[in-house]
Amino acid sequence: MKRTLGVCLCAALLLCLLAGCTEEIPEYIPTGGALDSDTPHTRPTTDPQKPEEKQISLAYNAEAGMNPLLTMSFTNRMLFTLIYQGLFTVNNEYECSPILCKNYNVTSDMKTYTFYLEEAYFSDGTALTAADVVASLEAARSSDYYGGRLQHVDSITAYGDVVVIELDTPMENLPILLDIPIIKADEIEAEQPLGTGPYRVDGEKLKRQAGWWCTASLRISCDEIPLVNCTSAAQVRDAFELGGVGMACADQAVYNRIPYHGDYELWDCENGLFFYFVCNSKSEIFSNEAVRSTLTYAIDRDKLVETYYGGFAYSASLPASPLSPYYSSTLAGRYDYEPQRFYDAVAQSGLLENVPEGEKRELRLLVNSDDRLRLAVAEEIAGMLEKAGFAVKLVKISNANFVSQLRWGTYDLYLAQTKLSANMDLSAFYAVNGSLSYGGMTNAELYFLSTEALANSGNYSSLHEKVMEDGQLCPILFQSYAVYVRRATFSDLAPARDAVFYYDLGRTMADALMKE
């Protein structure tokens, strides 16, 4: 999404439950700073006849590696759209387009996908093979960055120049998960593997590929892009402000944001990081269904977004990104801020009765103590819940002990974040031994509805309605990252969650789908 900011005078997987906010932390949390909301706002103008600026430098972290299946450095991941390609690409509206996949078909039960590859080449001239695709996807299944999204994959097999993926459940739109970068099979663990994208790494620069295997309209067209080594968010900001780099991606989900100065244009893009509550259904407070299902009304999400994320997040009353096609604004409106409904449910539950005079019933809220921003948000939320008559106790647990505390279940509520896949799959919350199933979340009916939604997107509304009626999972927001670009560098950008320099090849999914 384009931010209407112009001249500024001031400046993952398993759970992301464990992550604090440091500079180069896993995938989901980008690096960087913030914007000054007191500066004048102007929308940059676009002249279609004006050629793109020919030169730009970009930041990278030399210590973090450039393997897209291994590195967790967002500074480096910003570059990967220029170096690597996936079978498909996904834009910021969750629309999928074919890249390395020329054609594909899917069986009637939607459990077997067959992908036919383009005649593509790596930067050394080596032809792309099905073995490269299989090796890359298999490595992605066990990676911290991509592993969670492939939880329903049973097998990935190469048959000649064809790749077949078998699933354990019907899936209507597997391709939306397959924007995973493909690298050579013999370079899976290489620090700097080759890709099939328009650029390759050449020392401390990206060099444009002569005779690139495909043609595409790129937002960046210079022959060489110098890379500037930056190992911290502050260094990225300083390099941007001093002119060392022409573009910077910044994380707004940090306690002390680093302000950016100078003349820039600004985009933001939802990054898939989902912030939410889980009620412990075995606690005395939230075993009460009426109290549990009305918790959503007690949370002023818009206040949290503006106060703690500088507007770089999207309030979400449903467990899906508000930018995705799976989010119903009409349904979401039924669960928005209306605190009296929660207060009434608590009062009618009898939970506040038989409490010693002068005391209040304690509500234990578990929170990650290593994340200062999350602690601040938890304190704000505690104040919202105390208005219902509770005494909220923040149980502050470090990264190292957080998951073990979730398993013990000695809390009423916990605050967490995780990166949801682009198809907004909730099955890990409700599956037996699911990777996100804590606090008594295992639920056969909701697991069934989660898989039904994967098979038919028309079922997401039914799933979300049931999730909110159950009340154990309480959505709060989806975070976004900021993309600062020196004015007049690009005519336009369309950054997506895993593709800052998003482009497609002008083909649609309908073009690629083989008709029977």
Side-chain angles (χ1 to χ4, degrees):
M1 180 182 294
K2 187 66 172 286
R3 288 271 173 164
T4 55
L5 260 183
V7 177
C8 286
L9 305 178
C10 295
L13 100 147
L14 200 57
L15 285 176
C16 183
L17 294 167
L18 310 180
C21 291
T22 57
E23 191 277 317
E24 296 293 351
I25 58 182
E27 147 216 15
Y28 348 98
I29 302 184
T31 62
L35 67 147
D36 184 342
S37 59
D38 296 327
T39 55
H41 293 188
T42 59
R43 179 175 292 277
T45 57
T46 299
D47 180 356
Q49 303 303 316
K50 181 180 177 180
E52 292 185 352
E53 184 71 32
K54 295 299 182 184
Q55 295 297 326
I56 185 174
S57 297
L58 298 174
Y60 88 119
N61 186 336
E63 299 175 0
M66 295 288 280
N67 188 316
L69 304 178
L70 298 178
T71 187
M72 298 303 242
S73 163
F74 185 76
T75 301
N76 290 356
R77 300 200 71 85
M78 186 185 79
L79 307 173
F80 289 164
T81 320
L82 299 174
I83 306 169
Y84 305 103
Q85 297 174 307
L87 291 176
F88 300 88
T89 189
V90 181
N91 68 15
N92 55 18
E93 295 181 344
Y94 289 86
E95 297 168 334
C96 193
S97 301
I99 298 287
L100 293 178
C101 174
K102 183 176 183 178
N103 298 107
Y104 77 99
N105 60 43
V106 56
T107 54
S108 59
D109 65 359
M110 291 183 289
K111 294 177 70 174
T112 303
Y113 279 77
T114 302
F115 301 100
Y116 300 84
L117 306 182
E118 288 278 9
E119 189 177 331
Y121 296 88
F122 290 98
S123 57
D124 64 351
T126 305
L128 171 73
T129 69
D132 297 319
V133 175
V134 171
S136 298
L137 296 182
E138 286 288 6
R141 291 177 72 183
S142 59
S143 73
D144 291 334
Y145 193 94
Y146 295 108
R149 71 169 66 182
L150 299 178
Q151 62 180 307
H152 293 293
V153 171
D154 263 349
S155 65
I156 309 170
T157 309
Y159 296 97
D161 60 354
V162 174
V163 175
V164 176
I165 297 181
E166 299 275 356
L167 304 170
D168 65 13
T169 191
M171 196 172 292
E172 179 184 58
N173 193 12
L174 174 62
I176 201 171
L177 306 180
L178 299 180
D179 58 343
I180 297 167
I182 303 302
I183 61 180
K184 299 179 75 171
D186 60 359
E187 294 186 342
I188 292 301
E189 297 185 0
E191 182 176 338
Q192 192 172 290
L194 301 178
T196 60
Y199 287 84
R200 63 180 173 86
V201 180
D202 183 6
E204 292 196 336
K205 64 179 180 291
L206 297 183
K207 189 170 183 179
R208 186 66 181 262
Q209 287 293 99
W212 184 35
W213 76 269
C214 63
T215 58
S217 178
L218 302 178
R219 264 84 178 179
I220 188 167
S221 59
C222 37
D223 292 333
E224 292 188 351
I225 303 172
L227 299 177
V228 178
N229 187 24
C230 300
T231 58
S232 71
Q235 286 183 2
V236 173
R237 189 277 313 272
D238 292 346
F240 179 80
E241 292 184 355
L242 296 174
V245 300
M247 181 175 181
C249 287
D251 175 24
Q252 305 305 313
V254 291
Y255 185 73
N256 292 315
R257 300 191 190 99
I258 303 174
Y260 273 63
H261 306 74
D263 185 9
Y264 58 74
E265 298 174 346
L266 177 62
W267 283 261
D268 78 323
C269 182
E270 179 266 300
N271 60 23
L273 193 60
F274 176 41
F275 202 56
Y276 61 93
F277 276 132
V278 166
C279 300
N280 185 351
S281 63
K282 297 179 181 179
S283 80
E284 185 176 359
I285 294 174
F286 291 112
S287 61
N288 185 302
E289 186 176 345
V291 173
R292 194 173 67 234
S293 63
T294 55
L295 176 64
T296 179
Y297 301 112
I299 310 303
D300 189 346
R301 296 169 174 85
D302 291 340
K303 181 179 181 180
L304 298 178
V305 166
E306 292 303 321
T307 304
Y308 297 96
Y309 295 87
F312 277 85
Y314 297 87
S315 298
S317 298
L318 300 177
S321 167
L323 301 186
S324 78
Y326 312 118
Y327 193 90
S328 167
S329 297
T330 301
L331 181 61
R334 289 169 45 185
Y335 306 105
D336 282 344
Y337 187 52
E338 197 175 343
Q340 193 61 47
R341 296 184 66 171
F342 180 63
Y343 306 159
D344 290 345
V346 172
Q348 294 166 15
S349 69
L351 289 168
L352 304 183
E353 299 175 1
N354 301 318
V355 178
E357 186 176 352
E359 297 182 13
K360 292 183 177 181
R361 173 174 285 277
E362 183 178 87
L363 188 158
R364 292 168 59 85
L365 170 56
L366 192 67
V367 63
N368 185 337
S369 62
D370 293 352
D371 186 335
R372 294 181 65 191
L373 177 65
R374 204 179 310 182
L375 273 175
V377 172
E379 289 169 355
E380 182 75 39
I381 291 172
M384 297 175 186
L385 300 181
E386 286 176 343
K387 292 178 181 178
F390 293 110
V392 178
K393 178 181 180 179
L394 294 185
V395 182
K396 303 174 185 179
I397 303 297
S398 68
N399 281 347
N401 299 314
F402 199 85
V403 169
S404 63
Q405 288 297 312
L406 290 182
R407 294 187 177 121
W408 279 109
T410 55
Y411 54 85
D412 298 299
L413 194 64
Y414 71 81
L415 191 60
Q417 60 186 24
T418 190
K419 185 164 182 174
L420 283 189
S421 56
N423 61 355
M424 302 298 148
D425 182 8
L426 301 181
S427 60
F429 284 103
Y430 300 110
V432 175
N433 297 321
S435 60
L436 300 175
S437 187
Y438 298 98
M441 286 284 284
T442 301
N443 185 308
E445 180 182 7
L446 284 169
Y447 179 79
F448 173 77
L449 289 174
S450 297
T451 56
E452 285 291 289
L454 297 179
N456 186 330
S457 59
N459 292 324
Y460 274 94
S461 232
S462 298
L463 167 63
H464 292 162
E465 184 174 20
K466 186 63 179 177
V467 167
M468 300 310 293
E469 287 177 358
D470 172 72
Q472 200 169 356
L473 176 61
C474 181
I476 301 176
L477 55 83
F478 278 76
Q479 296 177 23
S480 61
Y481 55 72
V483 181
Y484 296 90
V485 182
R486 194 166 306 286
R487 184 174 291 279
T489 299
F490 302 117
S491 60
D492 201 3
L493 273 181
R497 61 152 73 179
D498 280 318
V500 173
F501 295 98
Y502 173 85
Y503 65 90
D504 60 47
L505 303 186
R507 299 181 68 226
T508 67
M509 295 301 290
D511 296 330
L513 180 60
M514 299 175 67
K515 307 297 189 295
E516 294 194 14

